[in-house]
Structure formats: structure tokens, C-alpha cells
Amino acid sequence: MIIKKKINRFTVFVKDDGEKYIEIFNNFLNNSLKVLKVFRNIDDTRVVLIDTAYGKFILKVFHPRVKNTERFLKSMVKGDYYENLFYQTHRVRQEGFDALNDFYLLAEIKTLRYVHTYIMLIEYIEGVELADMAEIGPEVKEKLHQSILSLHRHGMVSGDPHKGNFILQGDKIRIIDLSGKRPSRQRMAKDRLDLERHYGIENSTKDLGFWLLIYKKKLRNFLRRLKGKNVR
Ligand SMILES: Nc1ncnc2c1ncn2[C@@H]1O[C@H](COP(=O)(O)OP(=O)(O)O)[C@@H](O)[C@H]1O
Ligand SMILES: [Mg+2]
């Protein structure tokens, strides 16, 4: 079960046996975490590897800054992607699908339903990022393909299945950086088309989601041309 509690200004989501994750979060608040490696440090996102009394974890801090008004209005109608991701991750892992990284704790500062800051404590996956592999062989591609199709069957989408969001752990493919968005047919079709674009994995399912996506793109390009902009 997942519990929700207040810690300082944060709303915190954690599994009910998650005292150790709360302790790590408190260490974050006290600035006493030991950072081993910084993976990403750009204006709105910081992703670091930390060492704790309970082992290594990934800590991701996200301050959404872009398009604030738009995000604010969207959050009013759409809800919270990371909160969804937290619950979805818990659900599909319980269903036995564990290719995606585990998600131990989510903390957020909210005004109404708008989130200013997200802190995420995530499973550290030790392995080789696909982006760092010289060549991705057919076996790995097949595993990658199956992992995304299974993810879809379990009612989740990746949203961004490029080479930086998969890690080969031993001989197992792991998926990181998921979106938590609703798994519409169109988003599933987009994942499949992204696999085709990034890895040459052919999309063999041309369903309604696929055609909606294709025609939306055509319409967008058409409108751009009308406005006299360059079409990518
Ligand atoms: N669970 C994880 N295990 C190992 N490395 C990770 C994990 N999560 C993130 N990373 C590393 O940090 C990088 C950035 O994290 P990611 O969640 O993909 O953030 P972004 O949204 O900026 O793409 C990844 O490409 C990977 O190198
Ligand atoms: Mg990423």
C-alpha cells in the first residue's frame, strides 16, 4: 500500500514499509546526502547517484519552469504525471512486470494542484546505458521491443524510448525515465514509431492510434506550411 504524508512543506508518497526512504528524504532536506555522481544538472532537472546507509539510489529533483501558466492550467484538468507514475509503477511491479525502475518515494510542493518541485527517490540500475553501446545487436533490440510491448499491455507508456532511457543490466533490459501519462492508443503508437526511428524496429501494428498520430502530424505540417514556416 502507498501512504501519503506531510513532511515540512512537502506532500510525500511512499510505500507503507518505507521508513528508510523517509530517512533518506530527511537527509536530503538536511543537506547531508552523499553524492557519488551527477548524471544531469540542467536548469530544471538534477539527477544524481547517492550513497546511503541502505545502499545506492538515484535522486531526481525537478523544478518545472517552462511555460508556467500553461502548465498551471493543464495541471488543473489533467492531474499530476509523477503522482500517476508513482502509483502506476507500484501497480505494474506488483503485477510482476519489473523491467521499469522501482520508484520508492515521491515528494512534491503544491499550490492547489500545481506542482513547483518534485523530488524522486528511484532504484539505481547498474549497467550499460544503450546510448553508450557502440552497437545494439538484434538480441538486445528484440528484448527492448518486447519490454515496450509488455509495458503497454500493463497499461503504461514510455513517452520517450530513446537510447538514454534504457539500461542493459546483465542480460536484462530496464526502462527508466517513464512519463506516467495515460496510456492512450496514440501514445502507444508513438512509442512504437519512436522504436522504429531510434532503432529500426519495425512497427507492425497500424491501429487507430497509429493513424490518428500520422494524420495529426500531416495536419500540423499542413498548418505550418500555411503559416509559411519551415517543415521539419
Ligand atoms: N534508475 C536509474 N539507474 C541508473 N541510472 C539512471 C537512473 N535514472 C537516471 N539515470 C541516469 O541519469 C540520466 C538522466 O536521467 P533521466 O531520468 O533520464 O532524466 P531526463 O529526464 O533528464 O532524461 C540517465 O540518462 C541515466 O544516465
Ligand atoms: Mg532521460
Side-chain angles (χ1 to χ4, degrees), residues 60 80-86 88-89 100-101 103 118 120 151 156-161 165 175-183 187 191:
K60 191 166 172 176
D80 183 332
Y81 293 139
Y82 287 108
E83 207 176 302
N84 289 344
L85 180 60
F86 193 76
Q88 295 302 328
T89 300
L100 75 176
N101 63 260
F103 192 169
Y118 292 98
M120 297 168 245
L151 186 73
M156 285 183 82
V157 288
S158 155
D160 201 10
N165 286 336
I175 315 169
I176 61 166
D177 199 10
L178 289 112
S179 79
K181 290 186 180 167
R182 197 176 58 77
R187 289 204 181 102
D191 273 359

Side-chain angles (χ1 to χ4, degrees), residues 136-150:
I136 301 173
E139 245 177 65
V140 173
K141 274 190 194 170
E142 180 55 23
K143 283 181 187 167
L144 180 78
H145 192 190
Q146 291 308 324
S147 73
I148 289 295
L149 296 183
S150 300

Side-chain angles (χ1 to χ4, degrees), residues 39-40 42 45 47 58 60 101 122-126 129 162 164-165 167 176-177:
F39 282 105
R40 179 93 79 239
I42 45 174
T45 313
V47 183
I58 293 283
K60 191 166 172 176
N101 63 260
I122 296 170
E123 173 194 8
Y124 170 52
I125 299 168
E126 214 165 344
E129 213 177 288
H162 62 66
N165 286 336
I167 296 173
I176 61 166
D177 199 10

